[in-house]
Amino acid sequence: MSPKITVIGLGYLGATHAAAMAELGFEVLGLDIVPEKIELLTRGETPIYEPGLEDMLRRHVAGLPGSTGRLSFTTSYAAVAEFGDIHFICVNTPQKPGEYACDMSYVDSAVDSLAPHLTRPSLVVGKSTVPVGSAARLARRVAELAPAGDAAELAWNPEFLREGFAVDDTLHPDRIVAGVTGERAEVLLREVYAGPLGDGTPFIVTDLPTAELVKTAANAFLSTKISFINAMAEICETAGGDVVKLAEALGHDDRIGKKFLRAGIGFGGGCLPKDIRAFMARAGELGAPEAVAFLREIDSINMRRRVYMVDLTRETLGGSLLGKRVAVLGAAFKPDSDDVRDSPALNIAGQLHLQGAEVTVHDPKAMENARRVFPTLRYADSPTEAAQGAHAVLHLTEWREFRELDPAALGEVVGERHILDGRNTLDPALWRKAGWTYRALGRPTA
Ligand code: UGA
């Protein structure tokens, strides 16, 4: 009989994982401690915008018309322990306020709440991104608290999904990493992932610390790649080069590759920024701070992008932002997401506002979240409305509908035709042809 699965923590990661496990044919019980979230999910709805996720939920949530009924939700740890053979921990691990280190309290509390109910053989599988060494500590904790003793085991199985592609990344991962301490855990995880493994997905078995490190190292590498090209953009700015052409040419070397070489206002979101900081903090605790000291520079290059974009806007507007109308297209940290956590776009909008500009923001999906974080900015229902009378238009999140804007039509409503492309995805020739000045970081002025 197939193992029964539970998923603890139903945010981006957990909600997607729970629905994907049901899609793969398993009986799944999802737990969250927030009752409102459970109510929403039980109706087949999500508190987040993630393409394809609600459809996948509705195919499986018990009680919904036409669903397989394989997916249910609860707030009870006793119910989860009773139901499941394999328990995935998917709670978040944010940055601690005022520190670089990661806040492990949600993971710790999930394990402490679950383990005392584990009376029969079971496998607890961590998926959250955690500082290396956490899994071994949690394995000891499970063994100590579980009435089943050694029969309750812990494994680490990091998740590499990207927001905006969460469903596809979960159903068709590019690799599966299984950090285990024994054969039983490996066998169970192979059973869980039999679908993707059958499609040829590589399965890499490691010890616990290596599994934790794969995730941390992957996000550190991706951050480094983005900051590398943004550092080259800084050089292009002073030397008069074009970073977009530079990246294109570099990308043809398949040892380098073209992905994650998009220069612009840098990386944000709930993962890369906090993960590189947590990595530095953990390396410090382990007595190896110099090994990842370069990440401090990666972080600084990234944070400078936001300031440079504000500077470029000020310069474009003749040296002062005071009283100037600025339209900001984009608030989410990336397209196809409504997530504004550490969003470069929203950060820049906020800085412009604080420096005296009158800022109007439009985002296709992130308006509500943005308004909560920055209630003092103005919000408009369309790009055209945001651009009314604007002295400059800033393109800060590369939603498709922004890339497809008609420069001539938008030119009719603005006060002055200045477009600043923070994502280097608009076509400069097209905008210039329609009478706009096009400016971007790391690219020649005209
Ligand atoms: C990232 C990783 O890509 C996932 O593999 C990982 O699972 C996830 O974090 C996580 O730790 O949970 P995500 O935060 O969804 O995923 O976003 P990315 O697609 O990595 O983009 C991060 C930021 O980098 C965005 O702000 C994006 O605009 C920016 N970016 C990306 C660039 O500035 N340039 C690029 O070339 C690529």
Side-chain angles (χ1 to χ4, degrees):
M1 220 175 70
S2 294
K4 286 187 167 181
I5 289 174
T6 82
V7 176
I8 294 163
L10 298 169
Y12 271 104
L13 169 59
T16 312
H17 191 66
M21 288 294 114
E23 182 90 358
L24 292 174
F26 296 97
E27 297 285 325
V28 184
L29 182 61
L31 174 144
D32 203 285
I33 54 171
V34 181
E36 295 76 28
K37 209 183 266 184
I38 296 298
E39 279 167 33
L40 211 62
L41 289 163
T42 304
R43 294 199 299 268
E45 295 165 23
T46 58
I48 51 173
Y49 171 71
E50 182 62 43
L53 180 55
E54 289 201 349
D55 288 343
M56 186 161 71
L57 276 169
R58 289 203 191 102
R59 281 200 290 280
H60 303 293
V61 172
L64 295 184
S67 88
T68 62
R70 288 199 286 261
L71 176 56
S72 313
F73 301 103
T74 181
T75 53
S76 155
Y77 275 99
V80 154
E82 169 75 27
F83 176 92
D85 305 298
I86 304 180
H87 308 283
F88 285 98
I89 309 266
C90 296
V91 296
N92 65 339
T93 49
Q95 187 176 340
K96 277 188 189 166
E99 283 181 50
Y100 271 14
C102 146
D103 177 358
M104 282 292 288
S105 60
Y106 302 103
V107 177
D108 289 347
S109 131
V111 168
D112 282 0
S113 309
L114 173 68
H117 296 286
L118 299 176
T119 50
R120 60 189 168 87
S122 36
L123 181 65
V124 179
V125 184
K127 278 192 108 38
S128 310
T129 303
V130 296
V132 60
S134 305
R137 175 175 65 77
L138 294 166
R140 288 193 296 274
R141 190 83 183 138
V142 168
E144 195 180 293
L145 295 177
D150 288 349
E153 271 183 77
L154 182 128
W156 216 261
N157 167 223
E159 177 57 59
F160 305 100
L161 68 79
R162 297 159 298 167
E163 291 181 21
F165 301 91
V167 170
D168 200 50
D169 284 351
T170 308
L171 292 173
H172 310 285
D174 49 17
R175 77 289 212 190
I176 295 165
V177 174
V180 298
T181 52
E183 211 177 308
R184 194 178 75 97
E186 182 186 335
V187 170
L188 279 171
L189 285 170
R190 281 187 187 277
E191 205 175 335
V192 169
Y193 293 116
L197 293 181
D199 298 337
T201 304
F203 188 76
I204 298 144
V205 179
T206 71
D207 52 27
L208 295 178
T210 307
E212 294 166 303
L213 274 173
V214 176
K215 176 59 189 273
T216 316
N219 278 0
F221 189 86
L222 294 170
S223 308
T224 301
K225 213 172 166 191
I226 300 170
S227 277
F228 176 84
I229 201 63
N230 281 331
M232 294 306 108
E234 290 186 8
I235 300 293
C236 285
E237 274 146 37
T238 52
D242 183 341
V243 72
V244 174
K245 281 281 165 211
L246 175 69
E248 183 191 337
L250 287 174
H252 284 297
D253 181 334
D254 62 13
R255 293 169 304 174
I256 298 174
K258 63 178 169 37
K259 291 184 181 164
F260 271 67
L261 273 190
R262 229 175 339 93
I265 55 173
F267 59 83
C271 302
L272 301 190
K274 65 111 175 148
D275 286 352
I276 59 171
R277 292 171 196 153
F279 200 7
M280 286 186 264
R282 185 60 184 144
E285 286 167 11
L286 291 168
E290 41 320 299
V292 291
F294 70 96
L295 289 177
R296 195 176 294 277
E297 200 50 46
I298 298 307
D299 200 4
S300 312
I301 294 167
N302 190 52
M303 297 309 284
R304 278 206 294 273
R305 306 311 288 163
R306 305 174 182 191
V307 179
Y308 285 7
M309 195 66 201
V310 173
D311 293 347
L312 187 67
T313 311
R314 191 186 307 101
E315 188 197 306
T316 305
L317 293 174
S320 169
L321 291 164
L322 276 179
K324 292 288 164 66
R325 286 192 186 179
V326 177
V328 166
L329 303 183
F333 85 104
K334 67 184 231 182
D336 297 313
S337 168
D338 65 354
D339 196 345
V340 298
R341 283 178 295 170
D342 205 359
S343 164
L346 201 53
N347 180 301
I348 290 164
Q351 287 191 57
L352 292 169
H353 167 73
L354 293 171
Q355 292 183 34
E358 193 184 281
V359 180
T360 309
V361 179
H362 173 72
D363 188 283
K365 294 286 176 194
M367 300 275 273
E368 225 174 285
N369 288 340
R371 208 179 259 126
R372 248 195 307 272
V373 178
F374 263 115
T376 47
L377 299 176
R378 289 167 183 239
Y379 293 90
D381 289 333
S382 70
T384 314
E385 193 187 320
Q388 292 290 339
H391 300 106
V393 177
L394 271 59
H395 172 240
L396 300 184
T397 311
E398 68 278 34
W399 286 91
R400 205 173 70 166
E401 64 178 85
F402 297 157
R403 293 199 309 266
E404 289 171 352
L405 280 170
D406 174 8
L410 202 69
E412 296 298 317
V413 305
V414 294
E416 286 171 37
R417 295 185 178 193
H418 296 300
I419 179 88
L420 287 85
D421 186 2
R423 293 297 184 177
N424 281 320
T425 46
L426 303 177
D427 179 353
L430 206 68
W431 287 79
R432 285 180 180 142
K433 214 173 109 201
W436 292 75
T437 61
Y438 172 96
R439 304 287 306 267
L441 297 170
R443 304 193 81 178
T445 303

